[in-house]
């Protein structure tokens, strides 16, 4: 039987405000428990929430970046449920009148195909606290530092048809919120969280199957694995004659499986109603215009510009613009080094990224900044050094604060482009390997690589590779 | 709309209210009466009326994004029944 997967994502992005959405407490991550939880965050009697202007502005910026409708009049509502990390007994959220309405984003798949994904809405709400379940015997510890951190909950239409599409969409939203600087996107710290609503149906069916909501996914890789596991699980159930139950399931990365969150699923009944403590929020056109002005160039248009202005391949332009920091780094490197965009692109996405990955670092924490990296590119561009030596120098720059020029100078790594010097080394190699020369001349042309290697070795990697190749061929053939 | 005893129990559970089982039937009648009163509003045509979000006709004032609170944990935790290492302790919430 042919099955079709249907996925919708709910993304919770913590907004990068200094203070909480309804109180003046700090939102800094990692503080001692409950040192950033004031009377409002604790739900003390008699307190009133006061809305943070910056959170409203950030939500509007998101709407502008996703061509979404802006709720010119939005209303906060109470979502009622009991849990110790929500001391008021309700979460302040938005229900029927959210600040962001319908929008859309484009995602590009690995094969280059482009798909438009609908956004249902995005609304402002407050985050809950955190519970610690295993530290105290028979008790749960509650830390309310996170309570009241502003969240933008971004809800997609059920437009996604595979785990790969879901990941591409999540990455796209991640890229957008970072570009417009409204969320730091840190998935490990929980500032960007994805819940996936997953269902399956027989291909061609109109009606959606029963969905399960998967929570607790803290990386894009796990999102893909969790969805794939869940799809298989649901298909197995249906093909085995069973029925999928609508429930919330947690992803367990260690076991690579999803499992039911509660044995007895209680039907949610949140009894939303408008929060009498907060008045409706109205957004003036002048504010929208002002925020529109403040938006940076977004990933789509930056990618298009990279393809046109820098003549980069679509794929490379996509990789370089997925993250604003990378795109900024690339542009700075090209401008400062005078190197070709192709060279800069290759070295950033190749050598630099692999070193960062290995060290587990973000570009922003790179030991080699754009300035120093440009210095290295410039010396490869003007043929002072070869790419091979470039890698060696990058390693040295990684562990020091030295410039490429300083390392080239002090280590004597300048490329040898003097023909007579290279010729002399070639002559020595030819003289030392008479049998290989004979074989080469007898037609075993792949021995050329052997000779290149020998001369390179003799030059300690410093011979200009293009010159070496040409001169070597002349000598061997002549 | 009539409220039955099952609904009374359900609403009490959602609000985490302990109610006397002997009075459930009585509550069901009282709640039905309150809803019947509200039902009379259904006779009014509200097609062109914007739902009221708040009885006060004003717009939400916003505050600047500034950290204005400092750490008052010690004071707040004095009224908590149990704290440890800065955490508020509550009965275990998962099995």
């Amino acid at each position: 039987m042919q099955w079709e997967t249907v996925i919708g994502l709910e993304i919770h992005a913590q907004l990068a405000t200094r203070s909480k959405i309804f109180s003046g407490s700090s939102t800094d991550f990692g503080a001692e428990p409950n040192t950033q939880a004031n009377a409002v965050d604790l739900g003390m009697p008699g307190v009133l929430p006061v809305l943070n202007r910056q959170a409203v502005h950030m939500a509007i910026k998101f709407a502008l970046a996703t061509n979404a409708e802006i709720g010119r009049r939005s209303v906060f509502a109470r979502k009622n449920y009991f849990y110790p990390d929500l001391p008021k007994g309700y979460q302040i959220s938005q229900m029927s009148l959210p600040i962001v309405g319908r929008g859309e984003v484009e995602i590009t798949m690995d094969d280059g195909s482009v798909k438009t994904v609908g956004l249902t809405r995005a609304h402002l709400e407050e985050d809950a606290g955190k519970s610690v379940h295993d530290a105290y015997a028979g008790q749960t510890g509650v830390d309310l530092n996170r309570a009241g951190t502003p969240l933008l909950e971004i809800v997609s239409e059920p437009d996604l048809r595979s785990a790969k599409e879901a990941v591409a969409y999540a990455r796209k939203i991640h890229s957008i919120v970072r570009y417009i600087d409204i969320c730091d996107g840190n998935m490990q710290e929980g500032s960007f969280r994805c819940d996936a609503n997953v269902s399956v149906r027989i291909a061609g069916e109109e009606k959606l199957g029963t969905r399960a909501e998967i929570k607790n996914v803290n990386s894009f890789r796990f999102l893909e694995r969790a969805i794939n596991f869940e799809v298989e699980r649901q298909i197995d159930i249906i093909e085995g004659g069973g029925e999928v139950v609508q429930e919330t399931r947690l992803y367990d990365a260690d076991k690579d499986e999803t499992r039911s969150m509660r044995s007895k699923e209680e039907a949610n009944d949140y009894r939303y109603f408008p929060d009498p403590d907060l008045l409706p929020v109205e957004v003036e056109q002048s504010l929208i215009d002002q925020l529109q002005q403040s938006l940076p160039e977004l990933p789509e248009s930056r990618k298009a510009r990279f393809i046109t202005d820098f003549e980069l391949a679509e794929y490379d332009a996509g990789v370089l613009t997925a993250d604003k920091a990378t795109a900024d780094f690339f542009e700075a490197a090209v401008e400062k080094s005078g190197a070709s965009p192709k060279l800069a692109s290759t070295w950033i996405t190749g050598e630099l990224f692999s070193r960062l990955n290995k060290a587990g670092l973000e570009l922003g924490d790179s030991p080699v900044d754009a300035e120093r990296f440009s210095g290295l590119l410039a010396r490869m561009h003007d043929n002072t050094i070869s790419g091979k030596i470039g890698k060696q120098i990058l390693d040295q720059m990684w562990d020091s604060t030295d410039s490429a020029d300083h390392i080239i100078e002090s280590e004597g790594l300048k490329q040898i482009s003097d023909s007579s010097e290279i010729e002399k080394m070639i002559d020595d190699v030819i003289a030392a390997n008479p049998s290989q020369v004979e074989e080469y001349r007898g037609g075993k042309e792949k021995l050329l690589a052997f000779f290149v290697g020998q001369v390179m070795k003799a030059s300690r990697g410093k011979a200009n590779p293009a010159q070496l190749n040409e001169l070597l061929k002349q000598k061997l053939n002549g | 709309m009539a409220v039955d005893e099952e609904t009374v129990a359900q609403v009490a559970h959602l609000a985490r209210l302990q109610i006397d089982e002997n009075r459930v039937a009585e509550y069901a009648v009282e709640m039905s009466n309150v809803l019947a009163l509200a039902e009379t509003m259904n006779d009014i045509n509200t097609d062109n009326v914007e739902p009221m979000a708040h009885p006060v006709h004003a717009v939400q004032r916003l505050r600047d994004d500034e950290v204005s609170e400092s750490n008052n944990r010690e004071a707040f935790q004095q009224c908590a029944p149990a704290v440890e290492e800065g955490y508020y302790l509550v009965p275990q919430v998962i099995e």
Side-chain angles (χ1 to χ4, degrees):
Chain A
M1 205 173 295
Q2 192 68 34
W3 293 95
E4 183 179 54
T5 304
V6 179
I7 305 158
L9 292 190
E10 287 170 20
I11 292 174
H12 288 85
Q14 276 184 352
L15 297 176
T17 54
R18 284 191 285 270
S19 64
K20 293 186 177 176
I21 184 167
F22 298 121
S23 87
S25 298
S26 168
T27 54
D28 280 351
F29 181 83
E32 285 292 304
N34 294 306
T35 54
Q36 292 171 182
N38 76 352
V40 172
D41 314 319
L42 294 173
M44 290 294 193
V47 298
L48 283 173
V50 188
L51 183 57
N52 186 332
R53 175 178 291 112
Q54 189 64 16
V56 173
H57 288 196
M58 286 175 165
I60 297 169
K61 282 167 87 171
F62 179 78
L64 292 168
T66 52
N67 296 313
E69 291 164 18
I70 294 167
R72 299 294 290 272
R73 181 170 179 275
S74 71
V75 171
F76 283 95
R78 292 185 179 181
K79 177 180 179 178
N80 299 280
Y81 66 91
F82 280 101
Y83 205 76
D85 60 23
L86 184 77
K88 293 194 300 301
Y90 59 86
Q91 177 193 32
I92 303 178
S93 181
Q94 298 191 300
M95 183 57 183
S96 50
L97 292 169
I99 188 148
V100 182
R102 290 191 74 90
E104 59 183 41
V105 293
E106 274 186 359
I107 57 171
T108 307
M109 304 306 296
D110 282 346
D111 64 4
S113 62
V114 173
K115 177 174 177 145
T116 302
V117 181
L119 297 178
T120 314
R121 58 185 279 154
H123 61 257
L124 284 168
E125 61 183 27
E126 56 180 340
D127 208 343
K130 272 184 190 166
S131 302
V132 179
H133 296 296
D134 36 21
Y136 309 100
Q139 292 187 293
T140 292
V142 181
D143 174 11
L144 295 167
N145 281 348
R146 196 180 69 176
T149 298
L151 292 176
L152 188 65
E153 179 176 337
I154 303 156
V155 183
S156 86
E157 288 288 288
D159 284 349
L160 303 157
R161 290 290 171 273
S162 68
K164 284 217 177 328
E165 285 188 6
V167 170
Y169 163 79
R171 282 187 184 280
K172 188 57 183 277
I173 297 294
H174 188 255
S175 167
I176 291 171
V177 297
R178 301 220 329 168
Y179 257 81
I180 61 176
D181 209 15
I182 65 168
C183 170
D184 69 18
N186 189 325
M187 295 179 82
Q188 260 69 49
E189 291 179 3
S191 351
F192 188 90
R193 316 196 284 265
C194 299
D195 298 338
N197 286 306
V198 179
S199 65
V200 297
R201 63 182 170 192
I202 292 166
E205 282 265 345
E206 279 280 312
K207 196 168 166 284
L208 291 170
T210 306
R211 67 187 154 86
E213 183 179 5
I214 309 172
K215 285 184 181 284
N216 202 33
V217 185
N218 64 5
S219 77
F220 294 122
R221 192 161 59 95
F222 290 157
L223 177 63
E224 182 168 347
R225 285 164 58 173
I227 292 171
N228 282 332
F229 173 88
E230 183 58 21
V231 168
E232 288 303 314
R233 189 188 71 88
Q234 293 186 10
I235 292 173
D236 284 350
I237 289 174
I238 301 170
E239 288 186 342
E243 266 182 42
V244 174
V245 182
Q246 181 165 338
E247 62 179 351
T248 303
R249 299 180 67 85
L250 284 186
Y251 178 67
D252 181 336
D254 292 332
K255 294 186 179 141
D256 190 22
E257 63 179 27
T258 64
R259 59 167 181 268
S260 188
M261 221 170 129
R262 293 179 204 100
S263 37
K264 258 195 306 180
E265 179 78 1
E266 211 174 288
N268 287 325
D269 188 346
Y270 294 128
R271 294 151 293 143
Y272 281 95
F273 63 88
D275 191 330
D277 288 345
L278 289 154
L279 290 157
V281 178
E282 286 191 1
V283 178
E284 304 280 345
Q285 185 60 45
S286 57
L287 174 63
I288 298 173
D289 294 342
Q290 178 200 324
L291 292 170
Q292 178 81 61
Q293 294 291 315
S294 76
L295 281 190
E297 187 181 21
L298 293 169
E300 283 312 316
S301 57
R302 201 164 192 185
K303 180 178 164 187
R305 182 166 63 80
F306 276 20
I307 294 171
T308 328
D309 290 6
F310 296 125
E311 294 176 343
L312 291 177
E314 162 125 25
Y315 177 82
D316 293 337
V319 172
L320 288 170
T321 55
D323 176 51
K324 184 166 179 289
T326 309
D328 289 344
F329 192 100
F330 168 77
E331 287 206 88
V334 170
E335 193 187 323
K336 291 199 174 101
S337 68
S340 73
K342 178 70 195 157
L343 182 73
S345 160
T346 308
W347 274 74
I348 291 169
T349 58
E351 297 302 323
L352 183 62
F353 277 10
S354 72
R355 281 170 178 76
L356 289 171
N357 279 342
K358 215 161 139 192
L361 294 172
E362 295 283 323
L363 184 59
D365 310 316
S366 172
V368 178
D369 62 14
E371 178 87 36
R372 289 169 72 218
F373 196 75
S374 307
L376 176 64
L377 291 177
R379 293 296 83 80
M380 287 187 282
H381 177 68
D382 66 15
N383 281 321
T384 304
I385 53 166
S386 66
K388 189 164 179 243
I389 295 289
K391 291 177 195 175
Q392 184 188 322
I393 294 174
L394 184 55
D395 283 334
Q396 283 176 261
M397 293 170 79
W398 205 259
D399 299 321
S400 70
T401 53
D402 293 339
S403 69
D405 281 338
H406 179 84
I407 296 168
I408 293 167
E409 187 67 32
S410 61
E411 310 262 322
L413 294 170
K414 199 166 180 306
Q415 181 156 269
I416 302 167
S417 301
D418 176 346
S419 305
S420 59
E421 208 174 323
I422 297 174
E423 277 181 56
K424 194 184 164 300
M425 289 188 278
I426 293 174
D427 290 341
D428 291 346
V429 167
I430 287 178
N433 298 283
S435 61
Q436 280 88 344
V437 173
E438 205 168 308
E439 281 181 59
Y440 177 85
R441 290 184 174 149
K444 202 169 170 188
E445 288 193 4
K446 62 180 181 193
L447 272 173
L448 184 68
F450 163 77
F451 290 106
V452 171
Q454 291 296 310
V455 180
M456 233 355 146
K457 202 170 149 195
S459 76
R460 292 195 297 128
K462 291 188 290 183
N464 179 318
Q467 259 178 308
L468 165 59
N469 258 299
E470 197 173 320
L471 290 169
L472 189 59
K473 274 189 214 160
Q474 278 174 20
K475 294 260 182 195
L476 286 170
N477 297 336
Chain B
M1 186 186 141
V3 173
D4 59 18
E5 295 184 15
E6 202 180 313
T7 307
V8 173
Q10 169 70 359
V11 171
H13 171 68
L14 284 171
R16 299 298 187 273
L17 287 177
Q18 194 171 18
I19 51 170
D20 183 344
E21 290 208 9
N22 298 322
R23 301 190 63 186
V24 170
E26 187 187 328
Y27 291 144
V29 172
E30 285 178 7
M31 284 168 70
S32 298
N33 289 344
V34 172
L35 287 177
L37 193 67
E39 286 274 311
T40 56
M41 280 191 282
N42 283 348
D43 297 337
I44 300 159
N45 184 333
T46 56
D47 285 354
N48 297 311
V49 178
E50 193 180 338
M52 185 173 73
H54 202 280
V56 177
H57 285 278
V59 169
Q60 180 64 39
R61 291 268 303 267
L62 306 175
R63 55 165 245 279
D64 289 338
D65 180 26
E66 275 161 17
V67 176
S68 55
E69 296 283 331
S70 47
N71 175 20
N72 268 319
R73 183 173 76 179
E74 212 176 311
F76 287 127
Q77 295 201 329
Q78 274 176 3
C79 58
V83 291
E84 206 168 312
E85 296 170 320
Y87 288 95
Y88 292 94
L89 293 188
V90 298
Q92 189 130 29
V93 285
I94 50 163
E95 60 258 37

